[in-house]
Amino acid sequence: MNKKSFSNTKNQIPLLEVKNLSLLFPQYKEGLKESYIQVIRDFELTIYPGEIVAVVGSSGSGKSLLADSILGILPDNAEIMGRLLFNGEHLSTKRQQQLRGKSISLIPQSVKALDPLMKTSKQVQSVIPDKKAKKRIQEEAFIKLGLPPETGDKYPHELSGGMARRVLIATAMVSESELIIADEPTPGLDELTWEETLTNIKQLSKSNRGIMFITHDIHAALKIADKIAVFYAGETLEIANKEDFSGKGERLRHPYTKALWLALPENNFKPLKGNHPESDEVLIGCVFEKRCPIATEFCKTNKPKSAKINNGITRCFYA
Amino acid sequence: MIKFILRKTGKLASLLIAISLLSFILVSNSPEDPVQSYIGAEISRISPEQRKNIEEYWGLNRSKPEQYLLWVKAVFQGNLGESLIYRKPVSEIILERFSASIVLMGISWLLSGVFGFLLGILAGMNEGSILDRFIKSYSFIMASTPAFWFGLLLLMVFAAWLNWFPVGLASPAGSLAGEVSLIDKLKHLVLPVATLSIGGVASIALHTREKIIEVLNSEFIRFAKAKGERGIKLFWRHGLRNISLPAISLHFASFGELFGGAVLTEQVFSYPGLGQAIVKAGLGGDVPLLLGITLFSVVFIFVGNFMADLLYVVIDPRMKIKQTHD
Ligand SMILES: Nc1ncnc2c1ncn2[C@@H]1O[C@H](COP(=O)(O)OP(=O)(O)OP(=O)(O)O)[C@@H](O)[C@H]1O
Ligand code: SF4
Ligand SMILES: [Mg+2]
């Protein structure tokens, strides 16, 4: 197996580098005084070519908006801060516009992402630059993904959920993109389709493409990802290697990651109490403080910075 | 498809029976005396015998159900009867009046459709902007303004004060049919058409606005953007198709309102169309004409709804499948 960790990819230029990314939405509350809700805080992530990095976070933690930030398709009122680098180059709004659909592609979260009034083949072909070969390339991709040839002539509503997913994956497959952002491609799939989808995504990384695999399914993340970024309340709480998820989670650095690991059925099912903070909640100290089993008074008022520990990154005073 | 048409035709038939029965009961129980409206002011000069003869001639001496059945039988033979006040076959009057009305309604329908759609797109694309708020308020006000009131307003301003357009009728009063120029005809159309279409844009604009906002926020537009599509191409490929179908369909389904609006507008402008005829028929107790026009308008509105449904079945791929399944 090709085991990639921080050590053997270090001297390569990263495909994608996200540094101190923050995302805010203006919100009008009392009177005319403008206030903001912060959906992403100080987010960081690095993806190398051929690497699958999972971004694991619960619902509403800002994962889809993270994808939108990288693609440059945020709503108009969003305010974004921080640095995005693609192949070492600054990813400006203009650059994003040039690259999306070409060098960066998205596998969207919902099968509703297919235009209900357009045949699937057309929707897939629209990302293929070679006008003459596009029919052939699209058909080949469908065959590779096990879609019957007539699928191309169908409209989205005529497909099953699993087939629609594969059509979405086909769009990324036929594009010449170097980076693929897969936004939760697995929810609601049966066991078999789940496995298949993951295999297909894994397959996409074989051609030296980098993949950002957004999910709330730790199992899926562990199955195909090389690195796992744990996302909580818009922050990266930990970036761990796949191997760190083992035993009782001794090698995991952050209390939240440990709790996630221990909540899995095979690890005695210990659920984590409490809820993910609301997007408009003001968090002064550590974002995990309310649910953290080892929190102290200090954590309430001070924000931990991210630090490198054991070949990984974490954001906790007591890691 | 055949099933669909059969089902619709069955629906129309039962609708026609129900409505004709209902209107028959209503008009035949109205206090208006048909003989009097036929004879007019001379009523005092006819003898009871003469009156009886007339009643017999029209079948008025028979029982109500009998009268209705006689009328239905005649309709099936293609005979809608004779109008009491115009003294002409009802079908002839309908044809003549409808050709005037269809010009008025047709132009208004097209104008309000096109402009309503454009206004809706403008508003929806600029959601929350001043333009959007303006279009939205305009549409809300227009949707709650009765057409005749608006017609009177236009009439006062543009015909009475400014004298730009004629006050009423379809052609200058007293002129012979053959002599009316196209310009004259158009001049007479402007105000009634404006009345109908200035208000008519409201529902289509509001609907299109809603729809376009929904589409712009949809997952498939987000995905199309992620695929690198943008601007006009994005709107053309994914936006327009998804909003135009429901808009066109809604507009066909609004034939009923169009007809209702036309009745009142024709009244205000003394425009000699179907609407004016039906009001006269109702006031004058002209049962055959009233029933005839009622039936005709039911068919007309039904055709609109039928087109609306048909559009979905024929064009929308999602409906096609469902239709072949049942
Ligand atoms: N346009 C917006 N304005 C304000 N807040 C928004 C906007 N869009 C999203 N949010 C908020 O940002 C948060 C993150 O949304 P996002 O869709 O990225 O979550 P997610 O992690 O993808 O969740 P899920 O797993 O359910 O897909 C949510 O709480 C949402 O309410
Ligand atoms: S900083 Fe404090 S509250 Fe936050 S995770 Fe670490 S121990 Fe828990
Ligand atoms: Mg999401």
Side-chain angles (χ1 to χ4, degrees):
Chain A
M1 287 301 296
N2 61 333
K3 237 168 79 183
K4 280 186 203 82
S5 63
F6 286 77
S7 42
N8 60 3
T9 42
K10 230 173 199 165
N11 30 23
Q12 245 180 308
I13 296 180
L15 182 60
L16 177 77
E17 237 185 313
V18 184
K19 282 179 183 168
N20 305 326
L21 180 80
S22 291
L23 186 67
L24 300 140
F25 284 106
Q27 216 191 17
Y28 297 93
K29 272 188 189 161
E30 296 119 42
L32 288 171
K33 209 177 132 249
E34 204 173 6
S35 69
Y36 286 90
I37 58 169
Q38 185 158 16
V39 189
I40 297 176
R41 276 166 262 257
D42 258 341
F43 179 84
E44 57 194 298
L45 188 75
T46 307
I47 301 177
Y48 287 92
E51 197 177 44
I52 301 183
V53 178
V55 174
V56 177
S58 54
S59 188
S61 55
K63 303 184 299 295
S64 294
L65 288 171
L66 175 65
D68 291 357
S69 312
I70 296 166
L71 288 157
I73 52 169
L74 286 166
D76 290 336
N77 62 337
E79 285 177 35
I80 185 168
M81 284 170 284
R83 260 172 91 68
L84 293 169
L85 297 173
F86 188 72
N87 279 326
E89 257 183 75
H90 174 54
L91 199 52
S92 63
T93 312
K94 198 163 160 233
R95 193 98 187 99
Q96 282 174 323
Q97 210 172 70
Q98 292 165 348
L99 294 182
R100 65 172 172 259
K102 298 186 185 76
S103 300
I104 307 177
S105 58
L106 172 76
I107 300 176
Q109 178 167 6
S110 158
V111 295
K112 289 199 200 105
L114 292 169
D115 186 331
L117 295 184
M118 196 185 271
K119 285 184 180 167
T120 55
S121 57
K122 273 208 158 170
Q123 305 197 43
V124 173
Q125 285 170 17
S126 71
V127 296
I128 306 173
D130 185 346
K131 293 276 167 282
K132 279 192 203 120
K134 67 184 184 183
K135 191 166 158 30
R136 183 180 50 79
I137 295 174
Q138 170 256 316
E139 282 169 355
E140 278 170 10
F142 276 22
I143 292 170
K144 243 186 250 169
L145 289 166
L147 286 166
E150 66 270 18
T151 313
D153 278 327
K154 293 198 167 160
Y155 288 92
H157 72 275
E158 299 172 83
L159 307 180
S160 70
M163 285 165 91
R165 282 256 169 254
R166 275 180 273 176
V167 170
L168 292 176
I169 293 175
T171 338
M173 197 173 192
V174 299
S175 72
E176 288 164 359
S177 56
E178 300 162 65
L179 175 67
I180 294 171
I181 303 173
D183 189 0
E184 295 212 58
T186 54
L189 296 182
D190 60 81
E191 189 79 25
L192 197 70
T193 331
W194 183 83
E195 293 254 356
E196 263 176 25
T197 307
L198 291 179
T199 315
N200 289 328
I201 291 173
K202 182 95 202 170
Q203 203 64 37
L204 288 174
S205 75
K206 291 278 159 64
S207 44
N208 218 32
R209 286 159 144 162
I211 295 179
M212 179 164 145
F213 177 42
I214 295 175
T215 183
H216 58 237
D217 178 353
I218 296 197
H219 284 119
L222 291 174
K223 203 168 159 70
I224 59 168
D226 304 297
K227 276 190 310 199
I228 291 155
V230 178
F231 196 47
Y232 187 84
E235 282 183 13
T236 330
L237 291 189
E238 170 162 4
I239 299 179
N241 295 307
K242 183 165 69 178
E243 302 77 47
D244 299 337
F245 290 84
S246 62
K248 289 211 156 50
E250 298 87 353
R251 287 164 63 188
L252 295 169
R253 299 154 196 83
H254 197 280
Y256 178 56
T257 323
K258 281 187 190 158
L260 281 181
W261 176 241
L262 291 178
L264 291 182
E266 56 270 35
N267 304 325
N268 70 28
F269 248 137
K270 230 173 88 193
L272 175 63
K273 288 202 182 64
N275 290 313
H276 186 276
E278 298 289 329
S279 56
D280 55 354
E281 231 169 286
V282 184
L283 303 159
I284 311 160
C286 171
V287 289
F288 189 55
E289 182 266 327
K290 281 215 177 76
R291 304 168 78 185
C292 180
I294 57 166
T296 62
E297 278 302 308
F298 187 70
C299 305
K300 268 189 189 154
T301 47
N302 294 283
K303 210 175 213 9
K305 289 213 164 55
S306 64
K308 269 200 171 168
I309 296 175
N310 283 341
N311 233 349
I313 290 174
T314 191
R315 199 187 274 271
C316 170
F317 294 121
Y318 307 102
Chain B
M1 192 63 200
I2 290 176
K3 241 184 179 175
F4 169 77
I5 292 176
L6 280 180
R7 212 174 47 207
K8 288 283 163 186
T9 316
K11 221 176 179 180
L12 176 61
S14 43
L15 198 65
L16 285 175
I17 293 171
I19 295 205
S20 65
L21 195 57
L22 190 71
S23 11
F24 183 84
I25 293 170
L26 283 176
V27 286
S28 64
N29 283 316
S30 84
E32 196 67 42
D33 175 7
V35 178
Q36 169 153 21
S37 45
Y38 180 66
I39 311 285
E42 330 264 276
I43 188 81
S44 50
R45 295 222 207 126
I46 62 165
S47 66
E49 277 93 72
Q50 280 175 306
R51 189 188 171 97
K52 215 165 161 212
N53 281 339
I54 296 173
E55 285 182 356
E56 212 159 295
Y57 176 69
W58 284 339
L60 287 172
N61 52 349
R62 308 200 195 199
S63 72
K64 295 268 148 105
E66 239 178 310
Q67 286 183 31
Y68 178 71
L69 287 177
L70 272 178
W71 177 80
V72 171
K73 200 173 138 205
V75 170
F76 268 104
Q77 288 160 352
N79 179 12
L80 285 169
E82 192 155 319
S83 157
L84 304 185
I85 44 181
Y86 292 100
R87 306 192 187 195
K88 273 200 283 186
V90 167
S91 48
E92 218 171 90
I93 298 173
I94 290 182
L95 201 72
E96 191 185 298
R97 292 296 182 125
F98 183 64
S99 48
S101 283
I102 193 72
V103 176
L104 172 62
M105 291 196 287
I107 297 177
S108 316
W109 187 77
L110 283 177
L111 285 181
S112 56
V114 170
F115 283 103
F117 190 63
L118 291 178
L119 284 178
I121 289 179
L122 268 179
M125 295 270 257
N126 301 292
E127 192 196 352
S129 69
I130 294 183
L131 183 68
D132 174 36
R133 270 180 282 172
F134 176 76
I135 293 175
K136 215 168 67 176
S137 330
Y138 171 83
S139 300
F140 276 129
I141 292 171
M142 277 306 151
S144 46
T145 309
F148 72 87
W149 183 86
F150 196 66
L152 285 173
L153 197 73
L154 288 183
L155 202 60
M156 256 163 58
V157 176
F158 291 101
W161 289 353
L162 296 173
N163 231 334
W164 287 358
F165 298 106
V167 174
L169 304 173
S171 51
S175 60
L176 292 172
E179 291 169 358
V180 185
S181 71
L182 189 66
I183 298 288
D184 263 334
K185 277 191 182 167
L186 285 179
K187 266 193 179 169
H188 281 85
L189 264 174
V190 173
L191 288 185
V193 162
T195 305
L196 274 180
S197 27
I198 287 176
V201 297
S203 70
I204 191 88
L206 287 174
H207 178 269
T208 304
R209 178 185 175 276
E210 286 294 305
K211 197 72 200 169
I212 198 161
I213 290 172
E214 180 193 315
V215 166
L216 286 180
N217 290 315
S218 72
E219 285 290 322
F220 66 83
I221 288 291
R222 173 179 177 249
F223 185 44
K225 280 187 193 162
K227 287 196 291 184
E229 292 177 33
R230 64 198 166 96
I232 298 290
K233 192 182 165 212
L234 173 72
F235 181 72
W236 182 255
R237 276 172 66 97
H238 301 285
L240 200 58
R241 261 204 284 196
N242 280 285
I243 52 168
S244 54
L245 194 59
I248 297 173
S249 172
L250 176 86
H251 206 42
F252 269 111
S254 72
F255 269 25
E257 287 149 51
L258 181 70
F259 197 87
V263 169
L264 295 172
T265 308
E266 286 179 4
Q267 209 49 38
V268 172
F269 292 95
S270 324
Y271 187 87
L274 263 190
Q276 199 198 34
I278 201 172
V279 174
K280 272 196 186 159
L283 293 176
D286 190 341
V287 182
L289 183 58
L290 190 65
L291 286 181
I293 299 181
T294 308
L295 284 197
F296 183 80
S297 52
V298 170
V299 173
F300 177 75
I301 293 165
F302 185 86
V303 166
N305 282 309
F306 180 74
M307 299 285 277
D309 291 343
L310 198 64
L311 212 67
Y312 266 113
V313 178
V314 174
I315 300 179
D316 194 321
R318 286 166 293 191
M319 298 297 270
K320 229 181 264 173
I321 295 303
K322 266 193 214 145
Q323 221 57 52
T324 45
H325 279 318
D326 68 21

